[in-house]
Amino acid sequence: MDWDHLRFFWALVQAGTLVGAAKALGVEHTTVSRRIQALEKQLGATLFTREGSGYKLTDAGRQLQPRAEAMDQIARGIAPIAASQSAETPSGVVRIGVTEGFGTQVLAKHLALLAQRYPLLTIDLLAVPRMLQLSRREADIVISLERPVRDTVVTSRLTEYRLYLYGQREYLARHPLITSTEGLASHRFVHYVDDQLFTKELQFLDSLSAPQRFSFRSTSILAQYTAVRTGAGLGVLPGFLADKDPLLQRVLPEQAQFTRTFWMSMPPELRSVPGIQVVWRFLQATVQEQQDLLLC
């Protein structure tokens, strides 16, 4: 006997209609009908009669009912054990798409520790200066600066973080003290390449003072960081990246302060995958532990 037929039998007993049973099982109603017919053929007995209000059990069906119910209860008891084991030992590849600075400076070391904890789990960290697309399956989990507009993805507000205007200390010592945004006009700036910006959330300077001159531009925030600490000019950098560098100093920290939000999303069909669940929860917990760094 194909024991899986009993799962369809029990679903039809509970729902009373083919459509209801199909909905509960996530299949077409024709599949339920075909499975019931196959079970009746194996047993050599009619299990249901079709009436106006739905399907009713025959005597043979009523004899089978307690056995099918018992198997359903056993299966439900096994499921949490299997899920628990899967959660404890997640496996497979989980691909995370994230902005370059956040991925390399905040998440990488923690995700490396997670990979050590679960030897069967492989983590791909795609820390790139562009927006990865869930719809193209470029990543399993995407951390972005803009909330996804598609309502078909699972989305969570991950965290806020702060950015400031920085300059190299020696560079600032060679120039007059900057006391207002008007004082920025004589300085050269380090920034993104405008026509290569992948999100409007990275536009900072226009709200301060439109720069007259750029000394260095790059699609890479790490390259910008290197240019600022070299003394090429002033630049807006994440606090979690620049504050730990003794060569750098905040400029106009009250006026030149920016807050942005990271959003985390994944396709809904991946929500129940054990490895995805583990990484998703780990990212949420890790970011909460890093609030002092992100909102400094």
Side-chain angles (χ1 to χ4, degrees), residues 119-176:
L120 299 180
L121 186 66
T122 299
I123 295 173
D124 288 353
L125 183 64
L126 308 182
V128 295
R130 69 179 182 89
M131 190 82 72
L132 294 174
Q133 301 297 321
L134 288 174
S135 59
R136 299 175 188 166
R137 299 308 297 268
E138 292 182 311
D140 303 310
I141 297 173
V142 168
I143 298 173
S144 60
L145 282 164
E146 295 183 20
R147 182 170 188 167
V149 295
R150 295 174 57 213
D151 57 6
T152 55
V153 300
V154 179
T155 301
S156 174
R157 185 176 179 277
L158 187 59
T159 185
E160 290 184 341
Y161 75 104
R162 293 203 178 103
L163 308 95
Y164 298 89
L165 184 64
Y166 291 89
Q168 183 206 55
R169 293 183 185 276
E170 291 185 6
Y171 169 91
L172 293 172
R174 295 195 304 268
H175 294 79

Short mmCIF file of all heavy atoms in Angstrom, two decimals, residues 119-176:
data_model
loop_
_atom_site.label_atom_id
_atom_site.label_comp_id
_atom_site.label_asym_id
_atom_site.label_seq_id
_atom_site.Cartn_x
_atom_site.Cartn_y
_atom_site.Cartn_z
N PRO A 119 29.16 23.38 10.26
CA PRO A 119 30.10 22.96 9.21
C PRO A 119 29.45 22.58 7.88
O PRO A 119 30.11 22.61 6.85
CB PRO A 119 30.79 21.74 9.84
CG PRO A 119 30.59 21.90 11.31
CD PRO A 119 29.28 22.56 11.48
N LEU A 120 28.17 22.22 7.91
CA LEU A 120 27.50 21.84 6.67
C LEU A 120 26.89 23.04 5.94
O LEU A 120 26.31 22.88 4.87
CB LEU A 120 26.39 20.81 6.96
CG LEU A 120 26.85 19.49 7.58
CD1 LEU A 120 25.67 18.57 7.81
CD2 LEU A 120 27.89 18.82 6.69
N LEU A 121 27.04 24.23 6.52
CA LEU A 121 26.47 25.44 5.95
C LEU A 121 27.55 26.24 5.22
O LEU A 121 28.63 26.46 5.75
CB LEU A 121 25.85 26.30 7.05
CG LEU A 121 25.08 27.56 6.63
CD1 LEU A 121 23.84 27.18 5.85
CD2 LEU A 121 24.73 28.39 7.86
N THR A 122 27.25 26.66 4.01
CA THR A 122 28.15 27.53 3.24
C THR A 122 27.49 28.89 3.06
O THR A 122 26.34 28.97 2.61
CB THR A 122 28.45 26.94 1.85
OG1 THR A 122 29.09 25.67 2.02
CG2 THR A 122 29.36 27.87 1.05
N ILE A 123 28.19 29.94 3.42
CA ILE A 123 27.66 31.30 3.30
C ILE A 123 28.40 32.04 2.20
O ILE A 123 29.62 32.18 2.25
CB ILE A 123 27.77 32.06 4.63
CG1 ILE A 123 26.90 31.39 5.70
CG2 ILE A 123 27.36 33.53 4.45
CD1 ILE A 123 27.06 31.95 7.08
N ASP A 124 27.66 32.50 1.20
CA ASP A 124 28.21 33.36 0.15
C ASP A 124 27.84 34.80 0.49
O ASP A 124 26.65 35.15 0.50
CB ASP A 124 27.62 32.99 -1.21
CG ASP A 124 28.14 31.67 -1.75
OD1 ASP A 124 29.06 31.11 -1.12
OD2 ASP A 124 27.63 31.22 -2.78
N LEU A 125 28.83 35.63 0.77
CA LEU A 125 28.58 37.04 1.06
C LEU A 125 28.91 37.87 -0.17
O LEU A 125 30.07 38.02 -0.54
CB LEU A 125 29.43 37.50 2.25
CG LEU A 125 29.21 38.94 2.71
CD1 LEU A 125 27.79 39.14 3.22
CD2 LEU A 125 30.22 39.32 3.79
N LEU A 126 27.88 38.38 -0.82
CA LEU A 126 28.05 39.19 -2.01
C LEU A 126 28.01 40.66 -1.61
O LEU A 126 26.96 41.30 -1.63
CB LEU A 126 26.95 38.88 -3.03
CG LEU A 126 26.74 37.39 -3.37
CD1 LEU A 126 25.67 37.24 -4.42
CD2 LEU A 126 28.04 36.75 -3.83
N ALA A 127 29.16 41.19 -1.20
CA ALA A 127 29.26 42.57 -0.74
C ALA A 127 29.69 43.43 -1.91
O ALA A 127 30.88 43.65 -2.14
CB ALA A 127 30.26 42.67 0.41
N VAL A 128 28.72 43.92 -2.66
CA VAL A 128 29.00 44.63 -3.91
C VAL A 128 28.30 45.98 -3.93
O VAL A 128 27.26 46.16 -3.30
CB VAL A 128 28.56 43.79 -5.12
CG1 VAL A 128 29.37 42.52 -5.23
CG2 VAL A 128 27.06 43.44 -5.02
N PRO A 129 28.86 46.96 -4.67
CA PRO A 129 28.26 48.30 -4.74
C PRO A 129 27.12 48.39 -5.75
O PRO A 129 27.14 49.21 -6.65
CB PRO A 129 29.45 49.17 -5.14
CG PRO A 129 30.30 48.27 -5.96
CD PRO A 129 30.16 46.90 -5.35
N ARG A 130 26.15 47.51 -5.61
CA ARG A 130 24.95 47.58 -6.46
C ARG A 130 23.83 46.82 -5.77
O ARG A 130 24.06 46.11 -4.78
CB ARG A 130 25.21 47.00 -7.85
CG ARG A 130 25.43 45.48 -7.88
CD ARG A 130 25.66 45.00 -9.30
NE ARG A 130 25.81 43.55 -9.40
CZ ARG A 130 24.81 42.71 -9.57
NH1 ARG A 130 23.55 43.15 -9.66
NH2 ARG A 130 25.03 41.41 -9.65
N MET A 131 22.61 46.97 -6.28
CA MET A 131 21.46 46.30 -5.72
C MET A 131 21.29 44.94 -6.37
O MET A 131 21.12 44.84 -7.58
CB MET A 131 20.20 47.13 -5.95
CG MET A 131 18.99 46.65 -5.18
SD MET A 131 19.00 47.23 -3.48
CE MET A 131 18.61 48.96 -3.72
N LEU A 132 21.33 43.88 -5.57
CA LEU A 132 21.10 42.54 -6.09
C LEU A 132 19.60 42.26 -6.14
O LEU A 132 18.84 42.73 -5.30
CB LEU A 132 21.81 41.50 -5.23
CG LEU A 132 23.33 41.57 -5.26
CD1 LEU A 132 23.93 40.60 -4.26
CD2 LEU A 132 23.86 41.27 -6.65
N GLN A 133 19.18 41.48 -7.12
CA GLN A 133 17.76 41.27 -7.38
C GLN A 133 17.31 39.88 -6.91
O GLN A 133 17.83 38.87 -7.37
CB GLN A 133 17.46 41.42 -8.88
CG GLN A 133 17.83 42.77 -9.45
CD GLN A 133 17.03 43.90 -8.83
OE1 GLN A 133 15.83 43.76 -8.56
NE2 GLN A 133 17.70 45.02 -8.57
N LEU A 134 16.32 39.86 -6.00
CA LEU A 134 15.73 38.59 -5.59
C LEU A 134 14.98 37.95 -6.75
O LEU A 134 14.98 36.72 -6.89
CB LEU A 134 14.76 38.81 -4.42
CG LEU A 134 15.37 39.16 -3.07
CD1 LEU A 134 14.26 39.47 -2.07
CD2 LEU A 134 16.22 38.01 -2.54
N SER A 135 14.35 38.77 -7.58
CA SER A 135 13.55 38.24 -8.69
C SER A 135 14.41 37.46 -9.68
O SER A 135 13.90 36.56 -10.36
CB SER A 135 12.83 39.38 -9.41
OG SER A 135 13.75 40.33 -9.93
N ARG A 136 15.68 37.80 -9.75
CA ARG A 136 16.59 37.07 -10.64
C ARG A 136 17.35 35.98 -9.91
O ARG A 136 18.26 35.37 -10.46
CB ARG A 136 17.59 38.05 -11.27
CG ARG A 136 16.95 39.15 -12.12
CD ARG A 136 18.01 40.12 -12.60
NE ARG A 136 17.42 41.28 -13.26
CZ ARG A 136 18.08 42.40 -13.54
NH1 ARG A 136 19.38 42.49 -13.22
NH2 ARG A 136 17.48 43.40 -14.14
N ARG A 137 17.02 35.80 -8.63
CA ARG A 137 17.67 34.81 -7.78
C ARG A 137 19.18 35.03 -7.70
O ARG A 137 19.97 34.09 -7.65
CB ARG A 137 17.36 33.38 -8.25
CG ARG A 137 15.89 33.02 -8.24
CD ARG A 137 15.22 33.32 -6.90
NE ARG A 137 15.76 32.55 -5.82
CZ ARG A 137 15.27 31.37 -5.43
NH1 ARG A 137 14.22 30.86 -6.05
NH2 ARG A 137 15.80 30.71 -4.43
N GLU A 138 19.57 36.31 -7.67
CA GLU A 138 20.99 36.63 -7.50
C GLU A 138 21.43 36.38 -6.05
O GLU A 138 22.63 36.24 -5.79
CB GLU A 138 21.25 38.09 -7.86
CG GLU A 138 21.07 38.39 -9.34
CD GLU A 138 21.39 39.83 -9.67
OE1 GLU A 138 20.90 40.74 -8.98
OE2 GLU A 138 22.15 40.05 -10.64
N ALA A 139 20.49 36.35 -5.13
CA ALA A 139 20.79 36.08 -3.73
C ALA A 139 19.56 35.49 -3.06
O ALA A 139 18.44 35.61 -3.57
CB ALA A 139 21.21 37.37 -3.02
N ASP A 140 19.78 34.82 -1.93
CA ASP A 140 18.67 34.27 -1.14
C ASP A 140 18.13 35.32 -0.17
O ASP A 140 16.93 35.39 0.09
CB ASP A 140 19.14 33.04 -0.36
CG ASP A 140 19.70 31.96 -1.27
OD1 ASP A 140 19.01 31.62 -2.26
OD2 ASP A 140 20.81 31.48 -1.01
N ILE A 141 19.04 36.11 0.39
CA ILE A 141 18.69 37.19 1.30
C ILE A 141 19.37 38.45 0.79
O ILE A 141 20.55 38.42 0.48
CB ILE A 141 19.15 36.90 2.75
CG1 ILE A 141 18.44 35.66 3.30
CG2 ILE A 141 18.92 38.10 3.66
CD1 ILE A 141 18.97 35.20 4.66
N VAL A 142 18.63 39.53 0.69
CA VAL A 142 19.20 40.81 0.23
C VAL A 142 19.02 41.86 1.32
O VAL A 142 17.92 42.01 1.88
CB VAL A 142 18.53 41.29 -1.07
CG1 VAL A 142 18.91 42.74 -1.36
CG2 VAL A 142 18.95 40.41 -2.24
N ILE A 143 20.11 42.55 1.64
CA ILE A 143 20.07 43.67 2.58
C ILE A 143 20.29 44.94 1.76
O ILE A 143 21.34 45.11 1.15
CB ILE A 143 21.14 43.53 3.67
CG1 ILE A 143 20.88 42.26 4.49
CG2 ILE A 143 21.14 44.76 4.58
CD1 ILE A 143 21.98 41.93 5.48
N SER A 144 19.29 45.80 1.73
CA SER A 144 19.31 46.96 0.84
C SER A 144 19.01 48.25 1.59
O SER A 144 18.50 48.23 2.72
CB SER A 144 18.28 46.77 -0.29
OG SER A 144 16.97 46.65 0.26
N LEU A 145 19.31 49.36 0.94
CA LEU A 145 19.05 50.68 1.53
C LEU A 145 17.65 51.19 1.22
O LEU A 145 17.22 52.19 1.79
CB LEU A 145 20.08 51.68 1.02
CG LEU A 145 21.46 51.59 1.69
CD1 LEU A 145 22.50 52.34 0.89
CD2 LEU A 145 21.39 52.13 3.11
N GLU A 146 16.95 50.53 0.34
CA GLU A 146 15.59 50.90 0.02
C GLU A 146 14.66 49.72 0.31
O GLU A 146 15.02 48.57 0.05
CB GLU A 146 15.46 51.30 -1.45
CG GLU A 146 16.22 52.57 -1.81
CD GLU A 146 16.00 52.96 -3.26
OE1 GLU A 146 15.00 52.52 -3.85
OE2 GLU A 146 16.81 53.72 -3.79
N ARG A 147 13.50 50.02 0.85
CA ARG A 147 12.53 48.96 1.11
C ARG A 147 12.03 48.41 -0.23
O ARG A 147 11.65 49.18 -1.12
CB ARG A 147 11.35 49.49 1.91
CG ARG A 147 10.34 48.41 2.25
CD ARG A 147 9.32 48.91 3.24
NE ARG A 147 8.47 47.81 3.68
CZ ARG A 147 7.65 47.87 4.72
NH1 ARG A 147 7.57 49.00 5.42
NH2 ARG A 147 6.92 46.83 5.07
N PRO A 148 12.04 47.09 -0.40
CA PRO A 148 11.56 46.52 -1.67
C PRO A 148 10.14 46.97 -1.97
O PRO A 148 9.29 47.00 -1.08
CB PRO A 148 11.64 45.00 -1.42
CG PRO A 148 12.68 44.84 -0.36
CD PRO A 148 12.53 46.05 0.52
N VAL A 149 9.90 47.31 -3.22
CA VAL A 149 8.56 47.75 -3.61
C VAL A 149 7.64 46.58 -3.90
O VAL A 149 6.42 46.73 -3.87
CB VAL A 149 8.63 48.68 -4.84
CG1 VAL A 149 9.38 49.95 -4.49
CG2 VAL A 149 9.32 47.98 -6.02
N ARG A 150 8.20 45.42 -4.15
CA ARG A 150 7.38 44.23 -4.42
C ARG A 150 6.80 43.71 -3.12
O ARG A 150 7.52 43.47 -2.15
CB ARG A 150 8.21 43.14 -5.09
CG ARG A 150 8.73 43.49 -6.47
CD ARG A 150 9.68 42.41 -6.98
NE ARG A 150 9.04 41.11 -7.00
CZ ARG A 150 9.68 39.97 -6.78
NH1 ARG A 150 10.96 39.96 -6.46
NH2 ARG A 150 9.03 38.82 -6.84
N ASP A 151 5.48 43.52 -3.08
CA ASP A 151 4.85 43.01 -1.87
C ASP A 151 4.85 41.49 -1.82
O ASP A 151 4.26 40.88 -0.92
CB ASP A 151 3.42 43.54 -1.73
CG ASP A 151 2.55 43.20 -2.95
OD1 ASP A 151 3.03 42.46 -3.83
OD2 ASP A 151 1.40 43.68 -3.00
N THR A 152 5.52 40.86 -2.80
CA THR A 152 5.57 39.41 -2.83
C THR A 152 6.78 38.86 -2.10
O THR A 152 6.96 37.64 -2.03
CB THR A 152 5.59 38.90 -4.28
OG1 THR A 152 6.69 39.52 -4.97
CG2 THR A 152 4.29 39.25 -5.00
N VAL A 153 7.64 39.73 -1.56
CA VAL A 153 8.81 39.26 -0.83
C VAL A 153 8.62 39.47 0.66
O VAL A 153 7.85 40.33 1.09
CB VAL A 153 10.11 39.99 -1.30
CG1 VAL A 153 10.35 39.75 -2.78
CG2 VAL A 153 10.02 41.48 -1.00
N VAL A 154 9.31 38.65 1.44
CA VAL A 154 9.29 38.80 2.90
C VAL A 154 10.30 39.88 3.26
O VAL A 154 11.47 39.79 2.89
CB VAL A 154 9.67 37.48 3.59
CG1 VAL A 154 9.66 37.65 5.10
CG2 VAL A 154 8.70 36.37 3.17
N THR A 155 9.86 40.91 3.96
CA THR A 155 10.71 42.06 4.25
C THR A 155 10.73 42.37 5.74
O THR A 155 9.69 42.29 6.41
CB THR A 155 10.23 43.31 3.48
OG1 THR A 155 10.26 43.03 2.08
CG2 THR A 155 11.12 44.51 3.76
N SER A 156 11.91 42.72 6.24
CA SER A 156 12.06 43.11 7.64
C SER A 156 12.96 44.34 7.72
O SER A 156 13.97 44.43 7.02
CB SER A 156 12.69 41.96 8.45
OG SER A 156 12.97 42.37 9.77
N ARG A 157 12.57 45.30 8.55
CA ARG A 157 13.41 46.48 8.78
C ARG A 157 14.55 46.04 9.69
O ARG A 157 14.35 45.72 10.85
CB ARG A 157 12.59 47.58 9.44
CG ARG A 157 13.31 48.90 9.64
CD ARG A 157 12.32 49.92 10.20
NE ARG A 157 12.93 51.20 10.44
CZ ARG A 157 13.63 51.51 11.54
NH1 ARG A 157 13.78 50.61 12.49
NH2 ARG A 157 14.15 52.71 11.68
N LEU A 158 15.77 46.03 9.15
CA LEU A 158 16.89 45.44 9.87
C LEU A 158 17.48 46.41 10.90
O LEU A 158 17.58 46.09 12.08
CB LEU A 158 17.97 45.00 8.88
CG LEU A 158 19.14 44.21 9.46
CD1 LEU A 158 18.66 42.94 10.16
CD2 LEU A 158 20.15 43.86 8.35
N THR A 159 17.89 47.59 10.46
CA THR A 159 18.49 48.55 11.39
C THR A 159 18.67 49.91 10.71
O THR A 159 18.69 50.00 9.49
CB THR A 159 19.86 48.07 11.89
OG1 THR A 159 20.35 48.98 12.89
CG2 THR A 159 20.87 47.99 10.76
N GLU A 160 18.83 50.93 11.52
CA GLU A 160 19.31 52.22 11.03
C GLU A 160 20.81 52.30 11.28
O GLU A 160 21.35 51.56 12.11
CB GLU A 160 18.61 53.37 11.76
CG GLU A 160 17.15 53.54 11.41
CD GLU A 160 16.54 54.76 12.08
OE1 GLU A 160 17.12 55.25 13.07
OE2 GLU A 160 15.47 55.22 11.61
N TYR A 161 21.48 53.19 10.55
CA TYR A 161 22.89 53.45 10.83
C TYR A 161 23.18 54.91 10.46
O TYR A 161 22.40 55.53 9.73
CB TYR A 161 23.81 52.49 10.07
CG TYR A 161 23.95 52.75 8.59
CD1 TYR A 161 25.10 53.35 8.08
CD2 TYR A 161 22.93 52.40 7.70
CE1 TYR A 161 25.24 53.57 6.72
CE2 TYR A 161 23.06 52.63 6.35
CZ TYR A 161 24.21 53.22 5.86
OH TYR A 161 24.34 53.45 4.52
N ARG A 162 24.27 55.43 10.99
CA ARG A 162 24.57 56.85 10.78
C ARG A 162 25.86 57.04 9.99
O ARG A 162 26.79 56.23 10.07
CB ARG A 162 24.68 57.57 12.13
CG ARG A 162 23.36 57.62 12.85
CD ARG A 162 23.29 58.75 13.86
NE ARG A 162 21.97 58.77 14.49
CZ ARG A 162 21.71 58.31 15.71
NH1 ARG A 162 22.69 57.84 16.46
NH2 ARG A 162 20.49 58.35 16.20
N LEU A 163 25.88 58.11 9.23
CA LEU A 163 27.04 58.52 8.45
C LEU A 163 27.36 59.96 8.80
O LEU A 163 26.47 60.74 9.19
CB LEU A 163 26.79 58.41 6.95
CG LEU A 163 26.26 57.08 6.40
CD1 LEU A 163 24.74 57.13 6.28
CD2 LEU A 163 26.88 56.75 5.05
N TYR A 164 28.64 60.33 8.64
CA TYR A 164 29.08 61.69 8.94
C TYR A 164 30.06 62.14 7.87
O TYR A 164 30.59 61.33 7.10
CB TYR A 164 29.77 61.73 10.31
CG TYR A 164 28.89 61.34 11.47
CD1 TYR A 164 28.80 60.01 11.87
CD2 TYR A 164 28.15 62.29 12.17
CE1 TYR A 164 28.00 59.63 12.93
CE2 TYR A 164 27.35 61.94 13.24
CZ TYR A 164 27.27 60.60 13.62
OH TYR A 164 26.46 60.24 14.67
N LEU A 165 30.31 63.43 7.86
CA LEU A 165 31.33 64.00 7.00
C LEU A 165 32.68 63.91 7.72
O LEU A 165 32.78 64.30 8.89
CB LEU A 165 31.01 65.46 6.68
CG LEU A 165 31.94 66.18 5.69
CD1 LEU A 165 31.86 65.53 4.31
CD2 LEU A 165 31.58 67.66 5.62
N TYR A 166 33.70 63.39 7.04
CA TYR A 166 35.01 63.19 7.65
C TYR A 166 36.12 63.85 6.82
O TYR A 166 35.98 64.05 5.61
CB TYR A 166 35.34 61.69 7.75
CG TYR A 166 34.50 60.93 8.74
CD1 TYR A 166 33.29 60.36 8.35
CD2 TYR A 166 34.91 60.78 10.06
CE1 TYR A 166 32.52 59.65 9.25
CE2 TYR A 166 34.14 60.06 10.98
CZ TYR A 166 32.95 59.51 10.56
OH TYR A 166 32.18 58.81 11.48
N GLY A 167 37.19 64.14 7.51
CA GLY A 167 38.41 64.60 6.86
C GLY A 167 39.61 64.03 7.58
O GLY A 167 39.55 63.71 8.78
N GLN A 168 40.71 63.89 6.86
CA GLN A 168 41.95 63.46 7.50
C GLN A 168 42.43 64.58 8.44
O GLN A 168 42.35 65.77 8.10
CB GLN A 168 43.01 63.16 6.43
CG GLN A 168 44.31 62.62 7.02
CD GLN A 168 45.48 62.93 6.10
OE1 GLN A 168 45.69 64.09 5.75
NE2 GLN A 168 46.21 61.90 5.72
N ARG A 169 42.93 64.23 9.60
CA ARG A 169 43.32 65.24 10.60
C ARG A 169 44.40 66.18 10.05
O ARG A 169 44.34 67.40 10.26
CB ARG A 169 43.79 64.56 11.88
CG ARG A 169 42.67 63.82 12.62
CD ARG A 169 43.14 63.21 13.92
NE ARG A 169 42.10 62.42 14.55
CZ ARG A 169 41.14 62.91 15.33
NH1 ARG A 169 41.10 64.21 15.60
NH2 ARG A 169 40.22 62.12 15.85
N GLU A 170 45.38 65.65 9.36
CA GLU A 170 46.43 66.50 8.80
C GLU A 170 45.86 67.41 7.71
O GLU A 170 46.24 68.59 7.61
CB GLU A 170 47.56 65.65 8.23
CG GLU A 170 48.38 64.91 9.29
CD GLU A 170 49.55 64.18 8.69
OE1 GLU A 170 49.79 64.34 7.46
OE2 GLU A 170 50.24 63.44 9.42
N TYR A 171 44.95 66.88 6.91
CA TYR A 171 44.30 67.69 5.88
C TYR A 171 43.55 68.85 6.52
O TYR A 171 43.66 70.01 6.08
CB TYR A 171 43.34 66.81 5.07
CG TYR A 171 42.42 67.59 4.15
CD1 TYR A 171 42.78 67.86 2.84
CD2 TYR A 171 41.18 68.04 4.61
CE1 TYR A 171 41.93 68.58 2.00
CE2 TYR A 171 40.33 68.76 3.78
CZ TYR A 171 40.70 69.03 2.49
OH TYR A 171 39.87 69.74 1.66
N LEU A 172 42.78 68.57 7.58
CA LEU A 172 42.00 69.61 8.25
C LEU A 172 42.91 70.65 8.91
O LEU A 172 42.58 71.84 8.95
CB LEU A 172 41.08 68.97 9.29
CG LEU A 172 39.96 68.08 8.72
CD1 LEU A 172 39.23 67.36 9.84
CD2 LEU A 172 38.98 68.90 7.88
N ALA A 173 44.08 70.20 9.42
CA ALA A 173 45.00 71.13 10.08
C ALA A 173 45.59 72.13 9.09
O ALA A 173 46.00 73.24 9.48
CB ALA A 173 46.11 70.35 10.77
N ARG A 174 45.63 71.78 7.81
CA ARG A 174 46.20 72.66 6.79
C ARG A 174 45.19 73.68 6.27
O ARG A 174 45.52 74.53 5.47
CB ARG A 174 46.74 71.83 5.62
CG ARG A 174 47.91 70.93 5.95
CD ARG A 174 48.60 70.44 4.69
NE ARG A 174 47.69 69.77 3.77
CZ ARG A 174 47.49 68.45 3.78
NH1 ARG A 174 48.10 67.68 4.67
NH2 ARG A 174 46.67 67.90 2.90
N HIS A 175 43.95 73.56 6.70
CA HIS A 175 42.89 74.44 6.20
C HIS A 175 42.23 75.19 7.35
O HIS A 175 42.30 74.76 8.51
CB HIS A 175 41.83 73.63 5.44
CG HIS A 175 42.34 73.02 4.18
ND1 HIS A 175 43.10 71.86 4.16
CD2 HIS A 175 42.21 73.40 2.87
CE1 HIS A 175 43.40 71.55 2.91
NE2 HIS A 175 42.86 72.47 2.11
N PRO A 176 41.58 76.30 7.07
CA PRO A 176 40.85 77.03 8.12
C PRO A 176 39.80 76.14 8.79
O PRO A 176 39.22 75.26 8.15
CB PRO A 176 40.21 78.20 7.35
CG PRO A 176 41.04 78.37 6.13
CD PRO A 176 41.51 76.99 5.77
#
